Amino acid sequence: MHILISGAGVAGLSAAVTLGARGHRVELVERSSHLRVNGSPIDVRGDAIAITGAMGLLEQIRSRRLRMSEQAVFVDSAGGVVAALPVAETSDSDDDIEIAREDLATVLAGALPADATLVFQDSVATLTDDGTGVDVRFVSGRAERFDLVVGADGLHGAVRRLTFGLEADFVKHLGVYAAIADLPAEAGKGGPNAYNFPGHMAGIMRYRDRALAVFLFRSGPIDYDYHDLDAQKKILTDAFAGHDEWRIPELIAAAQADPELYFDSSAQIQLPTWHRGRVVLVGDAAHAASGLSGRDTSRCLAPRFSPRNSTRRTSPPVSGATKPASAPTCTLRKPASSVARNWSCPPAGRTSRRVIPRFAWTPTDVSRD
């Protein structure tokens, strides 16, 4: 089958690896100008351990394991250590693997089939499913027909909206907003730490040669355009206004300076079904658990090799289809507005940070009304 995957995050890449390995011809389309390769460390745990093993990727993932959360501490307003993160209580088991998002993206991208197509700076505009295929028109104006469309475009995904309806009908806001900003000046200056005051958390995540400023704050639903970066920065700044303790002003300044600040609500997606006709949803687009769960990434990986969820080939094998190469070069097709280039796994570039660190908020805070 000729399959379109909308979104080249963890869910989209893992779907492409799985479907390509089964002989399907896969095209990924990504709204960003680059792969989503940077971000806060994330967890591979639970069923995702066995599934990445079945994909042949577990040892590569293990070799890139981080120990960031094991070093995390909570601090007071003067920076004094109050408590260490009880990692043993927050992990499923010793088999849990903490890994940098860019490392997991690199591993998945390296397993893509050699004939995969990746289109940057484009996204799905319309979908027409006539029962025998799906006609897709892209924002760039390009039109193409596919046998199957996979929506892996996240919490605010266009594929879900076009297929199932308005986002508001399926999103459950959990009462918390999160932000993550680049903090290069803090790289290599110690371990991760976090400062809490009622309804708020600010912290610094450090791993390898990277540092990030992280924020959480409690709030009811806020009406804003999630594409409006200036509006997001104002909401964040207002949420921490009047607090100059610890390093909050410094971290807010970093958020204001970051051209790719991540800001979003912690929310769940609750749908009665994950497919309609020849359109199927995976990852956050289908069943976001929120970063607060510590399972978003594993849930993006987990369905990929589960036999009861697998897509079986319903047409003859694609001529010339091959098994994934160890370091494939993928064909790039871009709209005329962007410059085409050869892509090997993966291109450089920064991106939005999606997953919230495990130490950022305690379960008691999350569940409180």
Side-chain angles (χ1 to χ4, degrees):
M1 292 195 293
H2 187 199
I3 300 175
L4 173 69
I5 300 174
S6 175
V10 171
L13 288 171
S14 57
V17 170
T18 301
L19 293 169
R22 292 173 180 267
H24 300 292
R25 183 160 56 100
V26 175
E27 175 176 320
L28 293 103
V29 61
E30 168 56 48
R31 182 175 174 272
S32 176
S33 62
H34 44 73
L35 276 181
R36 298 178 177 275
V37 296
N38 283 359
S40 59
I42 50 187
D43 295 313
V44 177
R45 59 186 359 165
D47 290 345
I49 300 291
I51 288 160
T52 52
M55 296 170 76
L57 304 178
L58 183 57
E59 291 310 310
Q60 292 184 60
I61 291 171
R62 278 185 174 144
S63 71
R64 293 163 169 80
R65 186 173 190 168
L66 295 175
R67 302 285 183 179
M68 186 194 72
S69 292
E70 297 173 14
Q71 305 171 41
V73 296
F74 292 95
V75 298
D76 59 24
S77 59
V81 175
V82 174
L85 176 71
V87 176
E89 297 177 20
T90 61
S91 298
D92 282 10
S93 73
D94 291 339
D95 291 331
D96 288 4
I97 302 170
E98 187 174 31
I99 184 172
R101 175 176 288 273
E102 57 265 41
D103 286 348
L104 182 57
T106 297
V107 170
L108 291 170
L112 284 171
D115 61 348
T117 301
L118 180 57
V119 181
F120 289 114
Q121 291 184 288
D122 207 357
S123 58
V124 174
T126 65
L127 296 168
T128 304
D129 182 350
D130 63 9
T132 61
V134 185
D135 293 311
V136 180
R137 184 167 294 278
F138 297 89
V139 170
S140 63
R142 178 171 67 97
E144 195 161 348
R145 185 172 176 83
F146 297 90
D147 297 303
L148 180 72
V149 172
V150 178
D153 41 3
L155 187 68
H156 305 295
V159 172
R160 187 187 62 238
R161 173 177 52 80
L162 292 168
T163 306
F164 291 90
L166 295 176
E167 178 179 305
D169 295 338
F170 309 111
V171 173
K172 179 183 179 182
H173 176 59
L174 298 182
V176 177
Y177 281 83
I180 306 179
D182 211 21
L183 193 64
E186 283 297 311
K189 292 187 177 180
N193 48 27
Y195 169 66
N196 286 274
F197 62 93
H200 298 73
M201 189 286 299
I204 301 174
M205 300 175 62
R206 301 181 182 92
Y207 62 97
R208 294 183 183 158
D209 60 349
R210 296 213 62 207
L212 302 171
V214 295
F215 307 88
L216 291 173
F217 65 91
R218 293 177 61 84
S219 172
I222 301 172
D223 185 16
Y224 70 99
D225 180 355
Y226 62 86
H227 292 311
D228 187 339
L229 185 61
D230 290 337
Q232 295 168 17
K233 290 180 176 181
K234 184 178 187 305
I235 293 169
L236 177 63
T237 301
D238 290 348
F240 285 82
H243 289 273
D244 58 2
E245 64 268 32
W246 191 54
R247 303 179 66 175
I248 290 176
E250 175 187 348
L251 301 186
I252 289 293
Q256 289 287 343
D258 191 341
E260 296 193 11
L261 172 76
Y262 165 72
F263 179 90
D264 209 343
S265 66
S266 291
Q268 294 178 342
I269 295 295
Q270 299 179 347
L271 285 164
T273 180
W274 297 336
H275 71 91
R276 181 167 292 170
R278 288 178 171 263
V279 179
V280 62
L281 304 176
V282 297
D284 282 355
H287 46 66
S290 96
L292 297 172
S293 71
R295 292 188 173 277
D296 255 7
T297 300
S298 291
R299 285 166 64 88
C300 288
L301 290 164
R304 303 286 72 78
F305 263 80
S306 174
R308 66 178 178 273
N309 291 325
S310 296
T311 299
R312 302 293 181 183
R313 185 189 295 122
T314 58
S315 59
V318 177
S319 176
T322 60
K323 296 179 68 174
S326 58
T329 298
C330 300
T331 304
L332 263 184
R333 288 216 311 271
K334 290 191 173 187
S337 60
S338 61
V339 178
R341 65 175 184 270
N342 289 330
W343 177 74
S344 60
C345 307
R350 299 178 57 246
T351 187
S352 300
R353 275 78 64 176
R354 286 291 318 230
V355 176
I356 310 306
R358 290 183 294 174
F359 66 82
W361 205 275
T362 66
T364 301
D365 288 329
V366 173
S367 62
R368 187 166 57 236
D369 292 332

